[in-house]
Amino acid sequence: MMLETALKSLTTFFATIGPVEAAVLFATLTPKMPRAERQAIAIRATLIASAILAFFTVLGSPILAQLGVSVAALQTAGGIILLMIAIDMIFARPGGAIKLTPPEGAEAQTREDVAVFPLATPLLAGPGAMSAGILLAANASDEPFGLAIVVASLACVMIATLALLLLAQELNRVMGITAQRVLIRVFGILLAALAVQALFNGIKDSGLIAG
């Protein structure tokens, strides 16, 4: 059960945070920056995104509980959000849930510091990743060390994200567009399956449908 929670958390966080896509976009936003400056931005962005996601993962469920939101409602809503992101990933839709809108992209090009916007948020700590953290923590709440496993999985994904950001320029040259899109689609399919399961669990736990 602990291994299942860890694998589910790693897959979901990797798909919603999108380290590969973030690294590619980071490379396009910082093509002429010195390597030291790119590294500083990558480290700062990863730390900020990690803090945001850890906050929502650890405290998201208690806050929603105080607002009267049930776990079933959270599972259903989270499943819908993650499914929308998965569909965008699978079909590589431009302007999808984990991409920048044209106005955001234009603003990012003119900002001196891209660590906070758009890198930390919304690229890394976007609505999908925040929802995923809350949903995973809620699902693991009844399991011993469940929350710790989810947080540890988040930490692992963020470490991998930092590594990819530090190697963004090299990754962009080596992988190529085709390999990047294949990888994103594969994780999109996995995320879609997890999202549908969360949706089924939410509807079942709500009591609207017996069995």
Side-chain angles (χ1 to χ4, degrees), residues 70-211:
S70 67
V71 174
L74 176 61
Q75 288 178 316
T76 305
I80 293 172
I81 293 172
L82 295 182
L83 183 59
M84 293 172 63
I85 293 174
I87 291 172
D88 282 333
M89 293 172 68
I90 293 169
F91 293 101
R93 293 178 177 173
I98 57 175
K99 304 180 188 297
L100 292 179
T101 63
E104 288 174 336
E107 182 178 352
Q109 295 286 357
T110 59
R111 290 175 66 94
E112 294 182 0
D113 184 8
V114 298
V116 178
F117 175 88
L119 194 53
T121 181
L123 284 181
L124 298 178
M130 295 178 194
S131 302
I134 298 173
L135 180 59
L136 290 168
N139 288 339
S141 59
D142 295 333
E143 180 183 338
F145 307 110
L147 181 59
I149 293 172
V150 174
V151 173
S153 299
L154 171 62
C156 290
V157 172
M158 293 310 297
I159 291 172
T161 300
L162 176 59
L164 291 175
L165 290 178
L166 293 175
L167 298 172
Q169 297 292 344
E170 293 80 359
L171 179 69
N172 200 24
R173 287 195 296 267
V174 172
M175 284 191 66
I177 298 298
T178 301
Q180 295 165 18
R181 289 179 176 175
V182 168
L183 187 61
I184 290 171
R185 282 184 170 90
V186 168
F187 275 95
I189 293 171
L190 293 175
L191 181 62
L194 293 171
V196 172
Q197 186 61 56
L199 188 59
F200 287 168
N201 293 341
I203 295 174
K204 179 180 177 181
D205 294 343
S206 69
L208 296 176
I209 299 178

